[in-house]
Amino acid sequence: MQTFYLPNQDLLQDKIILVTGAGSGIGAMAAKTFAQYGATVILLGRTVHKLEVLYDQIEAAGYPQAAIYPMNLEGATAKDYADLALNIENEFGRLDGLLHNAAILGTLTPLPLYDMELWFKVMQVNLHAPYFLTRVCLPLLKKSSSASVVFTSDNVSKQAKAYWGAYSVSKAGVDNMMQIFAEELCENTAIRVNSFNPGKIKTAMRKQAYPGEDNSTLKSPEALAWAYLFLFGKDSQTYTGQYFTEYTLQEMITNP
Ligand SMILES: NC(=O)c1ccc[n+]([C@@H]2O[C@H](COP(=O)([O-])OP(=O)(O)OC[C@H]3O[C@@H](n4cnc5c(N)ncnc54)[C@H](OP(=O)(O)O)[C@@H]3O)[C@@H](O)[C@H]2O)c1
């Protein structure tokens, strides 16, 4: 853990946090870290086996028992979202955190050549799913004394780049949506809404985007554990409507 943010081991005790795309990469790291700091995590993802591996790791480590929720965000319907909210309501009664982490890269290609079906898929997973999920989870988040919703951004949200197509457009939409939710919720609720751009991290998605890159110099997801703890713990309670990078977060923590 970075020395500039060293929270207590019980930072997230009794918190209920839903993580999408929890089976691998940054999502798996975040979910495991939340559990390590006391949270009960709901692991949502499309590949059941990956979720089961993480579930077992959390159990073996003696952290609070996790819950697995297999769901393919690509084809999810309004009923699927409503069922998820109902299940969380019945099982836990509320939600203290929602990490929108699942995403797909699609393909890197010029806009006029972008495969239309793939365009729809990228929008569905990266943009529509976080919208519907936030929407159905709002009643659960409102039951928390202090809830945190974090969308996952990317450099190409703020600085569009040729060939990044649907992925770039979806991430720009995510940041825009984050601000709308934050503004709408800041007055009468205890829900804060922010987005976080993890930067260059050694995962399957990074490999897909940069297949020829020497990834030995990239950070592993674990290097960002502190950032996710900060965003979901009490120390970020006063921040909402903000787009964070690793560096802006670090600056904020060291010079509050
Ligand atoms: N890595 C980077 O350098 C980087 C940089 C900037 C932003 N990000 C963002 O960070 C987040 C995590 O990315 P990552 O790098 O950790 O990528 P990753 O390893 O590819 O993980 C993506 C996760 O999303 C899940 N997912 C994909 N499609 C899904 C669907 N239809 N339904 C449910 N879950 C689905 C995947 O599940 P399966 O494992 O089952 O496929 C996987 O667990 C993404 O939002 C990404 O845009 C990453």
Side-chain angles (χ1 to χ4, degrees), residues 21 24 26 46-47 50 72-73 101 154 167 171 199 201 203:
S24 56
I26 295 168
R46 66 178 164 180
T47 311
K50 292 182 185 176
N72 187 342
L73 297 171
N101 165 81
D154 191 294
Y167 179 84
K171 291 296 184 181
I201 301 296
T203 65

Side-chain angles (χ1 to χ4, degrees), residues 46 72-75 81 101-109 111 114-132 152 154 156 163-174 177 205 208:
R46 66 178 164 180
N72 187 342
L73 297 171
E74 193 181 301
Y81 289 107
N101 165 81
I104 53 174
L105 180 70
T107 184
L108 300 185
T109 200
L111 281 177
Y114 211 98
D115 180 85
M116 283 170 78
E117 260 186 47
L118 185 57
W119 183 280
F120 279 121
K121 285 180 185 171
V122 173
M123 288 300 164
Q124 178 72 10
V125 176
N126 297 8
L127 183 60
H128 300 165
Y131 165 64
F132 287 114
T152 305
D154 191 294
V156 292
Y163 314 128
W164 279 73
Y167 179 84
S168 180
V169 174
S170 71
K171 291 296 184 181
V174 158
M177 176 165 60
M205 184 184 287
Q208 189 191 347

